[in-house]
Amino acid sequence: MMSPETDPKIRAWGLLLATHTALVERIELALANADLPALAWYDVLWELEQAPERKLRMHDLAQRIVLSRSNLTRLADRLETAGLLQREACPNDRRGNFLLITDAGRAMRKKIWPVYRAQIVALFSNQIDDKQATVMGDGFASILGALNADE
Amino acid sequence: MMSPETDPKIRAWGLLLATHTALVERIELALANADLPALAWYDVLWELEQAPERKLRMHDLAQRIVLSRSNLTRLADRLETAGLLQREACPNDRRGNFLLITDAGRAMRKKIWPVYRAQIVALFSNQIDDKQATVMGDGFASILGALNADE
DNA sequence: AAAAGTTAATTGCAATTGCAACTACTATTT
DNA sequence: AAATAGTAGTTGCAATTGCAATTAACTTTT
């Protein structure tokens, strides 16, 4: 499934890839079937909703959701067109823009979540126990920590 | 990072997404820097190399690597143009095509692997221990098993 | 064995993505 | 304070992707 080796870590990586692809495909399908926007939109809405003041600098958001800047420009365009967020000029730095989630944006996030959550539960949560989940979560957290540490 | 909840499983899912995106971005970068083709090409080459006779029906391959069929048609076009695989008519089913990895394809896979592997080790393997890896791997395997079971 | 239904692969087209400029501004150096 | 370097965001363009429709061949039903 991956390589000419049987290292448990290599195995885990290969299965991580396969799991990710398969679950994301299913989740996107469920969202589309419910006439809801894609996962990427949810991520943006969620980050903005979490942020202090419900707004974030674009480049800041781009980093959090690991998206290229150009990509975020256009993703933001779409969300803005849909009325789910607004651009707002940044007073300190005239190059910059904040993205600010609108009420419609918050409502949309709330509407997406149960559908998304149901998929996570059915496909992911129900197949593992809390202990496994914790081990996984901790492992991912170390990996992400190391990644952000070295640069 | 994900939702208004603190269930360890929901947390794990969110971290899985973040980890996946970040690592794939890094790996693709490393491959591009080494003038090597992308991960998707590796997957195709690997599956073909593993397969009995070193060939696979397209729709069979599409399922394994979770890729839409139309997508695979064009991915195969590119690999074929690059001389890494060949299409071969299927004797039983005249609709079908086998994809057959060429010697150049095998050589390319061998060339990609050390670069890919180095990234997996640095970014993933080095951050977790064998026990964690095994728990993760088993968890992913159950999830994938459940997915394939229900349909 | 003809008709209706499936499946394999491809294609056209629209949407998304990524990369490399480009513009506008801020920060640093001299 | 001028010159240089760096950063934020956008845009053009080419490559990739996904969806729906198409073609060709196989399978099941009647």
Side-chain angles (χ1 to χ4, degrees), chain B residues 37-55:
Chain B
L39 231 38
W41 288 37
Y42 184 86
D43 286 345
V44 170
L45 294 175
W46 174 246
E47 288 294 343
L48 293 181
E49 193 163 342
Q50 278 327 92
E53 316 261 338
R54 304 204 156 113
K55 64 188 181 181

Side-chain angles (χ1 to χ4, degrees), chain A residues 58-59 70 73-74 87 95 97:
Chain A
M58 294 187 67
H59 111 273
S70 66
T73 293
R74 287 186 269 226
R87 279 176 170 81
R95 292 168 301 185
N97 272 137

Side-chain angles (χ1 to χ4, degrees), chain A residues 58-125:
Chain A
M58 294 187 67
H59 111 273
D60 193 351
L61 176 58
Q63 278 196 309
R64 292 184 198 220
I65 62 176
V66 194
L67 203 66
S68 73
R69 298 94 203 112
S70 66
N71 212 334
L72 179 56
T73 293
R74 287 186 269 226
L75 181 54
D77 289 346
R78 282 171 241 143
L79 288 252
E80 192 171 27
T81 302
L84 304 179
L85 60 78
Q86 280 177 237
R87 279 176 170 81
E88 189 187 83
C90 176
N92 309 334
D93 185 341
R94 280 187 302 168
R95 292 168 301 185
N97 272 137
F98 284 107
L99 297 182
L100 174 65
I101 190 170
T102 62
D103 289 348
R106 310 228 321 279
M108 178 58 88
R109 195 202 65 75
K110 279 206 183 60
K111 200 171 153 208
I112 298 172
W113 177 236
V115 177
Y116 183 13
R117 176 171 214 279
Q119 294 296 313
I120 300 174
V121 169
L123 303 173
F124 185 82
S125 302

Side-chain angles (χ1 to χ4, degrees), chain B residues 12-34:
Chain B
W13 170 250
L15 289 168
L16 163 55
L17 282 183
T19 302
H20 173 268
T21 312
L23 294 200
V24 167
E25 187 185 53
R26 290 293 200 98
I27 293 168
E28 295 284 14
L29 186 66
L31 292 174
N33 284 341

Side-chain angles (χ1 to χ4, degrees), chain A residues 15-26, chain B residues 20 65-67:
Chain A
L15 289 168
L16 163 54
L17 282 183
T19 303
H20 173 268
T21 311
L23 295 200
V24 167
E25 187 184 54
R26 290 294 200 99
Chain B
H20 173 268
I65 62 176
V66 194
L67 203 67

